Amino acid sequence: MSPELKGKKISVIEQVNSGLHKEIETNRLKLKPIISTILFCGTHDLPLRGKKSDSGVFHGLLNFRIESGDEILKDHFLTNAGNAKYSSHRTQNELITLCGKILKEEIVCEANAANAFSIISDESADISGVEQLTIVIRFLDKQSSPIKIREEFLGFLPLDKLDAESVATKILSFMEDSGLNLSKLYGQGYDGCATMAGKVGGVAKLIRNRYNKALYFHCASHRLNLVINDLNKIMVIRNTIGTIKEIIKFYRESTLRRNLIPNIPLFCETRWSSKYKSIRLFSENFIAIIQILQSLSVNGIINSNTRQRALNLYSSISNFTFIISMKIIAKYSAILESVKNILQGVSMELYKVREHVKELLKMLEDNRPNANEIFDLLFTDAKSIADDFEFTITCLRITGKQSHRNNYSYESPKDYYRVSIFLPYLDSIIQCIKERFEKSNSVAFSLQHLHPALFIKMKKQEYTESIANIYKCYKIENLLAESESWYSLWQKKDCRSMDIIDLLEHSNIFFPCITIALEIFLSLPATSCTAERSFSTLRRVKTWLRSTTCEERLNGLCMLSVHRERINIRKEKFIE
């Protein structure tokens, strides 16, 4: 189809010279299957090149198109010289880079059309040892139907230096070069490391010095992970988790041993959901695991080293202290696993995080008064396993003076384990969640008071003060006046089941300032999980790329892989 029919403007030279215009149209038809093949390889994580310049997946797919009847491509390859076929590695790199730039320009244009956006970033070393910083932006897409929150990957930045000033400079330069309207930057989402989150000289602080509305938010998933890490201060819990990790590693490092038990994912500190799942599955399959360890400690597979390691691991878990600790950890890991999975969603926003953490905390606090009944069930389950293997239920003795461990008083073994392990563990979870999820960004959390479910429970003066804090920070014109009408509107309406994004339907026409405030709140990052997920793409792409590959080609291929859904939906338009 010619450009005139698609509403495109053609140059004066093309209008005068019809032969030139025809040649350009012919060349576009020749390039179309080549670009389409590159998109196919990029969106399916396929390496383009082989050992030779004319081999590999890319050339194989082009030959397959010719065999399938693509006459234009066949004629192009037969009639043109070798340096004019547009299939060399240099042309491939140029087209890949252009595809990445077009995708980034589209995303930046959509982000600039929103009233607010946030940046999410994280860092990891790739397979060649280069430190890569991923850049993701979060904004509200009002053009889509229905309206939805989007977190879009923009690219990777190789880091030469890892100090806060260098990282902040890289991020700001990238956003400026990308064409983002930084006056709409309202949030920054990172993990809690000192380089990124430092209050004096961290990346978040340096960026906020230039754009004072860009508040920093500590990733909710990282904070929940730190809650579990804090529990390792309890010695028995720390030893139990370490033993579980070693046993899973022992089984998974050998295919022969791995086949002896059900599949249990590797206990990984950085893969949050995997960690909870590992503990839960370990507890569910504990009997099979200990039976196999007992058998290997006697017979062994292949060598004596296996027998020795199996015997050591069997000795470390063949006691009641380990079993009851494992049962306690597994019970609450199952609860945290579901919360962790929910927090990783793209549509997650601060209000939902607050509600999920509030429900989790309430659930744990409700367990505290019923701690005896809950522990009775765990103790009975653990005692049943111990009786099957004839493990003795022992307790540490009480002495007159003890300085190296707690000196618990107890009437029975059940009381000892309840007081020494279960209650400290439960109290620690509750306390750590309260500390980790405190409202550090008071201004940002004031925005959630625009949700009717919250402000109808507040006194009018508290609501007014909260709106005044929002206005003081964000300077949204006429917000104070609109907030009064907004408050009156929802006094007699049921809004308990509504999310923040649902409120936009009610505010969009008559409450433009409230709409802006709600969009700012929705754009604030709750987690950095999207940035974490981009490293999986980096690993796949970088695995079959040479370590010396150019930055533009790497980013282009990663953009094609991450945004495959966008390309598949609009493929024809994208190629044009």
Side-chain angles (χ1 to χ4, degrees), residues 96-106 552 556 559:
I96 290 169
T97 302
L98 287 173
C99 289
K101 288 182 178 179
I102 291 171
L103 281 170
K104 186 166 73 171
E105 288 172 0
E106 286 185 0
E552 291 81 6
M559 289 289 283

Side-chain angles (χ1 to χ4, degrees), residues 224-357:
L224 190 56
N225 193 53
L226 290 173
V227 168
I228 305 305
N229 291 345
D230 291 341
L231 297 177
N232 289 340
K233 295 177 182 177
I234 304 173
M235 185 181 66
V236 177
I237 300 299
R238 181 175 65 249
N239 294 341
T240 302
I241 291 177
T243 304
I244 291 174
K245 187 175 181 178
E246 286 300 316
I247 292 174
I248 295 174
K249 180 182 177 182
F250 170 75
Y251 277 109
R252 289 187 64 87
E253 66 186 9
S254 166
T255 55
L256 295 176
R257 294 195 292 267
R258 183 184 297 189
N259 294 331
L260 295 175
I261 63 170
N263 185 37
I264 300 176
L266 192 65
F267 189 100
C268 181
E269 293 291 346
T270 56
R271 291 185 177 272
W272 307 306
S273 299
S274 175
K275 178 166 61 176
Y276 304 124
K277 186 177 180 180
S278 297
I279 296 174
R280 175 173 56 81
L281 292 177
F282 185 92
S283 176
E284 293 174 358
N285 298 282
F286 179 71
I287 294 177
I289 290 171
I290 194 171
Q291 286 175 342
I292 298 298
L293 280 178
Q294 188 177 24
S295 175
L296 291 176
S297 64
V298 178
N299 301 320
I301 295 179
I302 301 176
N303 54 44
S304 59
N305 184 43
T306 300
R307 286 196 298 272
Q308 185 61 45
R309 290 182 62 192
L311 178 61
N312 292 340
L313 293 173
Y314 175 75
S315 300
S316 65
I317 66 174
S318 58
N319 60 82
F320 189 76
T321 301
F322 176 86
I323 297 173
I324 188 64
S325 299
M326 175 195 66
K327 289 295 179 181
I328 293 170
I329 298 170
K331 174 178 174 58
Y332 291 101
S333 290
I335 296 173
L336 293 172
E337 181 183 355
S338 59
V339 177
K340 181 71 73 174
N341 290 333
I342 293 172
L343 290 181
Q344 294 185 41
V346 173
S347 61
M348 184 58 54
E349 31 92 357
L350 294 178
Y351 177 74
K352 290 182 180 178
V353 171
R354 172 187 175 276
E355 292 301 309
H356 287 307
V357 173

Side-chain angles (χ1 to χ4, degrees), residues 70 133 135 163 223 249 298 375 394 402-403 429 526 561 572:
D70 192 330
L133 185 75
I135 304 294
D163 60 286
R223 281 186 285 172
K249 180 182 177 182
V298 178
F375 182 73
T394 58
Q402 177 60 256
S403 58
I429 291 181
S561 180
E572 291 298 324

